[in-house]
Amino acid sequence: AVFVGSVGPVYWDSFDYVTQALTGHVGGLGVGRPVFALTTHAVATAWQWVGGSVWDVERVLRVLVILTSAFSAPLTRRLALEAGFTARAAGLSAAFVAASPAFAHTSAAVLTDGPAVPLVLLTWIATMRACRFGRSADAAWAGLWFGLAIGVREASLFAGVTCAAIVWQ
């Protein structure tokens, strides 16, 4: 993401997300992406509280998005192992996610795409574990991760179809 991604807010919605981070207002798109808006607001506020410049908030948020998105590759490996893939196939799956130029490009901007992916993956992992072991704690974690994913990017709602397929199988 550092090498492929953009420097600065090149996407129009990056400007809105940075503005929301500074003001604390939840956006009007879909359900407003409140988890993303409030988390970035907390980071922007903390940054300013320790003396950071408002002009650097976008860069700080880009780093937050990159770091959050970076969990996608190891979580892909974990999901593949939960699904019964061999260790080699699971590692290859993670490598494909880690090497994806499209994912790296969106993960290097203040966008909701990258941070939503690890939350969706955690949802699927917890759902698979709940089905396999029958533990209500795993089901509760699946619900929590799913709710957070929707709060970061409402399109994560479609991950529920996969959850239903996991439960149904």
Side-chain angles (χ1 to χ4, degrees), residues 35 119-120 122-123 126-127 137-151:
V35 173
L119 294 169
V120 167
L122 284 166
T123 300
T127 301
D138 288 323
W141 278 109
L144 174 71
W145 296 128
F146 190 43
L148 289 172
I150 293 168

Side-chain angles (χ1 to χ4, degrees), residues 60-76:
V60 170
L61 295 177
R62 265 191 291 131
V63 169
L64 173 69
V65 170
I66 288 171
L67 292 175
T68 305
S69 300
F71 285 100
S72 297
L75 287 171
T76 297

Side-chain angles (χ1 to χ4, degrees), residues 82 127-128 131-132 162-169:
E82 288 288 336
T127 301
M128 291 179 91
C131 289
R132 181 179 312 131
T162 303
C163 290
I166 293 168
V167 172
W168 187 37
Q169 62 95 20

Side-chain angles (χ1 to χ4, degrees), residues 27-161:
L29 182 62
V31 294
R33 300 175 180 177
V35 173
F36 187 78
L38 296 174
T39 300
T40 56
H41 178 62
V43 170
T45 301
W47 173 253
Q48 292 174 70
W49 186 77
V50 297
S53 170
V54 69
W55 299 107
D56 293 327
V57 166
E58 189 273 339
R59 186 175 309 136
V60 170
L61 295 177
R62 265 191 291 131
V63 169
L64 173 69
V65 170
I66 288 171
L67 292 175
T68 305
S69 300
F71 285 100
S72 297
L75 287 171
T76 297
R77 181 181 185 282
R78 183 74 224 147
L79 177 65
L81 291 171
E82 288 288 336
F85 285 41
T86 65
R88 183 175 182 200
L92 190 58
S93 300
F96 283 136
V97 170
S100 166
F103 189 65
H105 188 66
T106 59
S107 297
V110 183
L111 298 171
T112 58
D113 308 67
V117 173
L119 294 169
V120 167
L121 291 168
L122 284 166
T123 300
W124 291 338
I125 292 166
T127 301
M128 291 179 91
R129 292 180 61 78
C131 289
R132 181 179 312 131
F133 302 117
R135 294 189 298 228
S136 58
D138 288 323
W141 278 109
L144 174 71
W145 296 128
F146 190 43
L148 289 172
I150 293 168
V152 168
R153 185 169 181 83
E154 63 276 350
S156 300
L157 181 64
F158 294 108
V161 175

